[in-house]
Amino acid sequence: MKLSGRHLKCYRQIARLLWKYGRGDLIRHIDAEDENLEIPSEECGKPEELAADLEEMGPAYVKLGQILSGRPDLLPEAWLKALERLQDNVKSFPFAEVEQIVTSELGVRMSKAFSEFDPEPIAAASLGQVHAASLRDGRKVVVKVQRPGIRQQITDDFEVLGEIAAFLDSHTETGRRYRFAAVMEEFRLTVQQELNYEREARNLRTLAANLREFPLLVVPQPIDDYSTRSVLTMERVQGRKITSVTPLVMMEAPGAPLAEELFKAYLKQVLVDGFFHADPHPGNVFLTDDGRLALLDLGMTGHTTPGMQESLLHLLMAISDGKSEEAADIVIQLSEKDEAFDGAEFRRRIGQIIALRREHSLKQLNVGRSLLEVSRASAQNGLAVPPELTLLGKTLLQLDVIGKVLHPDFDPNESIRRNVRYLMSQRVRKDLTEGSFFGTLLEVKRFFGALPSRMNRVMDTVSRSGIEVKVKSVDAKTVVEGMEKIANRVTTGLLLAALIVGAALLMRVETNFRLFGYPGLAIVCFLGAAAGGIWLVISVLIHDHKSRKKSGK
């Protein structure tokens, strides 16, 4: 593999890193011509050195370290601990550069925009750092300032990482299994989105609107007039990081309700709203002075489609209940298979993962960690799981850590089962919007509007003897019974359709009798139609199963 001069330095850093930490097998086939890679001769590097090495390589690698710190399925515990400091304890850049960026972005001197601006950052991360400040009207705020030159540096780093990932996919078994190029592209898009602070401001507003029903959660709002693509000014939260809260303070805080509401809110984000805060590590969650939880840093978010939401809900239920076969079926349906896919081995591996967790009791079964291990087992057996699955696993794992801090006896699995009814009702409410209701009504109208013309064409064809039925059977009774069953099913289907149309019309009639916030009689009709539809489907499936069984004999 030949690299241009401007990429060679980055490549050499990656090569040194992989060799130092025992993964030279991934890099030894890459030909860098006659350049001296300066491969270290010392023993494998220690976990404590990894964070410092990533900091030296640049912000893209620091961000990679932050993500790896929440992936226990990829790294041992000691390495995770060593990388944790990268979450909010990265080297800061000088205040002179902060002042220059803020002045340039806002178009006004810092002293004109802010009455106070603390030169010492509250926190420094890979892409920017945060300073406390006060506006001229007295409001307390925090200002998030992007690192100078960070966009170009990120672009250069990912160009090299993408080339190396593509090479590894083509030349190593590990690369073909884990699809490094696809992972790196997903990572690149995520980091690019984080570099747009205007997008983060929109995320803050969206999340606050979605979580308005949760009084124990707060999302600081952006100050639009003081925010740009590289500077984000937000309301200041008075509180402390959840990891720095002492046990004495937690004795006074409502730990159990906080943990329950936080977990419930995240389930709603992922499985109902389809938009969720994807990086709730302990450094991004504050316990406020008034006993609430504040969710910070919405640069990294995730999205789920309605179909994905239902699949993830079923998967969470299967894992939390310890149903390995059901969990394996759902993952197979969600994933993309390659030629090396081994279904039997995959099911056996999933069974081992969930059985191992069950040995520690369902209360100690960590759903987030299990999801990440399921993702890893999928890659090892020729399945490419959707990125939403891995992101959900990482998010739930981080939530489990926060939940244990808030309330040591908090059981996320029981919380999932406890909130299933709430999640289902929220999904029904979301689906029964005015737009979706009238969309369904239009489909029904279109069907019945076209039905007479279709029936006329059928009858004309019959009258002209245009329909021929050829039956190769010596048992006329069986044929007649089959025709009767078809007629019965068609009639049942028409009756159910009529019931749905009638219920739709009754939705416009206001009555005192209401269910789920809608006219009660209409909902009863809908439920009756649903029950009839389910009965019809079950009867068809049972009949088909019996027919196959008879034919098998």
Side-chain angles (χ1 to χ4, degrees):
M1 175 179 175
K2 296 182 179 180
L3 296 172
S4 60
R6 71 189 184 92
H7 289 169
L8 190 56
K9 179 181 177 181
C10 181
Y11 161 72
R12 291 174 64 185
Q13 289 176 317
I14 297 172
R16 283 178 55 83
L17 193 70
L18 289 172
W19 276 99
K20 181 176 180 179
Y21 294 100
R23 291 314 307 262
D25 58 305
L26 293 180
I27 208 78
R28 65 165 56 95
H29 299 294
I30 298 180
D31 177 21
E33 297 182 327
D34 58 349
E35 293 290 337
N36 178 17
L37 297 180
E38 300 178 6
I39 301 302
S41 59
E42 66 267 20
E43 296 180 358
C44 187
K46 299 177 181 179
E48 302 79 37
E49 300 172 1
L50 180 57
D53 287 337
L54 291 174
E55 279 187 305
E56 290 180 7
M57 294 175 67
Y61 304 94
V62 173
K63 195 66 186 176
L64 181 61
Q66 291 175 347
I67 293 177
L68 288 175
S69 69
R71 294 296 301 273
D73 59 319
L74 299 180
L75 292 176
E77 186 67 25
W79 298 84
L80 299 176
K81 290 290 185 182
L83 291 174
E84 279 183 359
R85 78 167 182 83
L86 294 177
Q87 292 176 351
D88 56 359
N89 189 21
V90 182
K91 294 177 182 177
S92 61
F93 57 94
F95 179 69
E97 294 180 336
V98 172
E99 188 172 13
Q100 181 181 355
I101 293 172
V102 172
T103 300
S104 174
E105 288 291 321
L106 299 185
V108 64
R109 292 201 310 271
M110 185 181 290
S111 59
K112 291 290 185 181
F114 303 94
S115 60
E116 297 178 4
F117 200 104
D118 190 348
E120 290 296 323
I122 299 173
S126 56
L127 306 182
Q129 61 192 39
V130 180
H131 292 259
S134 297
L135 299 179
R136 283 292 176 181
D137 59 9
R139 281 181 290 174
K140 303 291 185 181
V141 297
V142 294
V143 183
K144 187 176 180 180
V145 184
Q146 206 166 94
R147 289 182 179 271
I150 186 67
R151 288 197 179 93
Q152 187 59 47
Q153 191 174 355
I154 288 289
T155 300
D156 292 342
D157 287 345
F158 273 107
E159 191 171 345
V160 181
L161 288 171
E163 291 179 13
I164 294 177
F167 181 87
L168 294 176
D169 285 357
S170 302
H171 294 79
T172 68
E173 180 60 32
T174 304
R176 283 188 288 271
R177 181 182 300 165
Y178 287 97
R179 303 189 183 190
F180 290 138
V183 173
M184 197 57 62
E185 178 63 16
E186 188 75 24
F187 181 39
R188 183 187 66 82
L189 292 174
T190 299
V191 173
Q192 283 187 339
Q193 290 173 350
E194 284 196 69
L195 288 171
N196 185 353
Y197 287 173
E198 291 175 340
R199 179 181 177 277
E200 184 173 348
R202 293 194 297 271
N203 291 342
L204 289 168
R205 286 190 289 269
T206 300
L207 187 64
N210 291 344
L211 299 185
R212 58 181 175 271
E213 64 182 275
F214 299 97
L216 294 180
L217 302 182
V218 59
V219 180
Q221 292 301 282
I223 311 297
D224 292 332
D225 293 338
Y226 294 82
S227 299
T228 67
R229 188 177 176 86
S230 299
V231 174
L232 177 59
T233 304
M234 299 171 286
E235 300 168 343
R236 191 190 306 179
V237 174
Q238 301 295 335
R240 287 172 285 181
K241 286 190 300 184
I242 196 70
T243 51
S244 63
V245 176
T246 63
L248 184 61
V249 174
M250 286 309 307
M251 289 179 62
E252 300 178 356
L258 284 173
E260 176 69 16
E261 186 148 309
L262 180 67
F263 203 81
K264 183 177 181 181
Y266 268 88
L267 291 176
K268 177 180 181 291
Q269 290 177 54
V270 176
L271 304 174
V272 179
D273 300 330
F275 170 82
F276 61 99
H277 181 205
D279 195 23
H281 66 73
N284 284 341
V285 180
F286 271 42
L287 179 65
T288 65
D289 293 343
D290 59 358
R292 296 187 294 170
L293 291 178
L295 305 181
L296 312 177
D297 191 359
L298 261 76
M300 184 183 294
T301 57
H303 296 81
T304 52
T305 62
M308 179 63 69
Q309 291 166 19
E310 291 195 8
S311 297
L312 291 177
L313 177 58
H314 294 157
L315 181 59
L316 284 178
M317 286 300 301
I319 292 178
S320 64
D321 288 338
K323 299 177 180 178
S324 60
E325 281 292 329
E326 187 175 338
D329 288 339
I330 296 170
V331 174
I332 292 173
Q333 292 172 5
L334 285 174
S335 305
E336 179 183 345
K337 307 179 187 67
D338 63 21
E339 297 177 355
F341 173 61
D342 186 344
E345 176 61 23
F346 174 71
R347 292 177 187 279
R348 186 188 68 80
R349 182 74 185 99
I350 298 303
Q352 287 180 339
I353 292 172
I354 295 182
L356 181 63
R357 299 295 177 194
R358 284 184 68 94
E359 289 177 3
H360 298 88
S361 81
L362 282 177
K363 184 174 181 179
Q364 297 176 357
L365 187 152
N366 186 299
V367 179
R369 185 184 293 269
S370 297
L371 278 177
L372 292 176
E373 291 183 356
V374 166
S375 300
R376 186 179 186 181
S378 300
Q380 292 172 344
N381 289 278
L383 278 180
V385 299
E388 293 89 348
L389 182 62
T390 304
L391 196 57
L392 175 61
K394 181 181 76 72
T395 301
L396 291 178
L397 182 65
Q398 292 171 328
L399 284 179
D400 184 71
V401 174
I402 297 172
K404 291 295 190 291
V405 173
L406 293 171
H407 189 64
D409 294 329
F410 176 68
D411 182 2
N413 308 288
E414 181 59 32
S415 181
I416 290 176
R417 292 189 288 271
R418 189 164 49 242
N419 288 303
V420 165
R421 184 177 299 178
Y422 162 80
L423 294 170
M424 294 304 296
S425 67
Q426 290 293 310
R427 286 195 55 78
V428 170
R429 285 179 179 274
K430 184 180 179 181
D431 292 340
L432 287 178
T433 60
E434 186 172 342
S436 63
F437 167 72
F438 283 108
T440 303
L441 191 60
L442 285 174
E443 289 293 329
V444 173
K445 177 181 178 297
R446 188 179 296 114
F447 170 77
F448 280 101
L451 188 60
S453 62
R454 292 172 180 170
M455 290 298 296
N456 284 333
R457 287 197 296 271
V458 171
M459 297 304 295
D460 289 341
T461 304
V462 172
S463 65
R464 294 194 300 268
S465 300
I467 293 181
E468 296 182 1
V469 179
K470 297 181 179 179
V471 180
K472 295 181 179 180
S473 174
V474 295
D475 192 351
K477 182 179 179 182
T478 303
V479 176
V480 173
E481 289 178 352
M483 296 294 289
E484 288 179 349
K485 288 179 180 178
I486 293 174
N488 290 339
R489 290 176 182 176
V490 172
T491 303
T492 303
L494 290 174
L495 290 175
L496 292 175
L499 190 60
I500 292 174
V501 172
L505 296 175
L506 287 173
M507 288 290 288
R508 310 295 296 176
V509 180
E510 294 294 332
T511 62
N512 293 329
F513 172 50
R514 303 183 73 82
L515 289 174
F516 308 112
Y518 296 96
L521 188 57
I523 296 298
V524 169
C525 291
F526 273 127
L527 294 176
I534 293 172
W535 171 82
L536 182 61
V537 170
I538 292 174
S539 65
V540 170
L541 292 175
I542 292 175
H543 177 266
D544 291 345
H545 176 70
K546 290 180 178 178
S547 299
R548 286 194 298 268
K549 197 172 181 181
K550 288 181 180 179
S551 62
K553 292 180 179 180

